[in-house]
Amino acid sequence: MPANILNPLVAMMVLTFVVWVFMYVRRLGYMVRHGVDPQEVNTPQKMALRLPESAEAPSNNLKNLFELPVLFYVICLTLLHLGWVSPMDVTAAWLFVGLRAAHSLVHCTVNLVKVRFVFYLLSSLVLWFMLATLLRRVLALG
């Protein structure tokens, strides 16, 4: 069913929400515990200088979730709109979401760059596969 592509799409939105909440829990928790005046950290640069990596990593991950995943949303909605959703598309979409969730988990916790990069690279390859599949279908029309 074409609507099956909505499940991973919504899961990606939920992941973004979870990271957003986690970012504020970490940031505000640190700021309250350490008496950081919000005016002292009124720019991203000041925030990065004043807060430790553990409080800032979720913010960096949230920014990541508005980079390549934007293409994911467009691909999924295009497939749905055109009625081109196949089981392979749904599987690829779930794989992308799972890899991005693993990336977020690593980035927001232990932040091991090499591990994080593997999840980023694999999720990117899945995304480029999804895009190539969509482009192939579009080109077949004309």
Side-chain angles (χ1 to χ4, degrees):
M1 296 182 64
N4 286 345
I5 199 77
L6 291 175
N7 295 326
L9 188 140
V10 170
M12 192 70 200
M13 289 189 252
V14 170
L15 172 63
T16 303
F17 174 74
V18 168
V19 170
W20 179 80
V21 169
F22 190 70
M23 175 191 72
Y24 277 104
V25 167
R26 281 276 178 98
R27 267 189 177 175
L28 294 177
Y30 180 88
M31 290 173 70
V32 167
R33 282 190 313 277
H34 294 90
V36 177
D37 179 359
Q39 196 59 41
E40 292 176 24
V41 291
N42 61 355
T43 67
Q45 297 81 9
K46 290 178 185 177
M47 184 79 75
L49 289 172
R50 183 72 166 89
L51 273 61
E53 180 185 336
S54 62
E56 275 304 284
S59 173
N60 294 330
N61 186 255
L62 184 65
K63 291 172 193 169
N64 290 168
L65 291 172
F66 288 95
E67 293 171 353
L68 289 181
V70 171
L71 292 175
F72 171 78
Y73 295 124
V74 172
I75 291 167
C76 290
L77 291 173
T78 301
L79 290 170
L80 180 64
H81 177 73
L82 296 174
W84 291 352
V85 179
S86 72
M88 178 186 65
D89 296 314
V90 175
T91 299
W94 275 118
L95 186 56
F96 178 79
V97 172
L99 290 165
R100 288 307 302 217
H103 174 270
S104 291
L105 180 64
V106 171
H107 199 176
C108 292
T109 58
V110 295
N111 202 13
L112 297 171
V113 175
K114 289 180 180 179
V115 174
R116 192 178 91 207
F117 178 74
V118 169
F119 290 126
Y120 172 82
L121 178 62
L122 292 174
S123 68
S124 296
L125 292 173
V126 170
L127 182 65
W128 300 135
F129 169 78
M130 291 176 70
L131 180 60
T133 302
L134 175 61
L135 288 174
R136 182 178 44 81
R137 291 172 183 159
V138 168
L139 293 174
L141 291 176

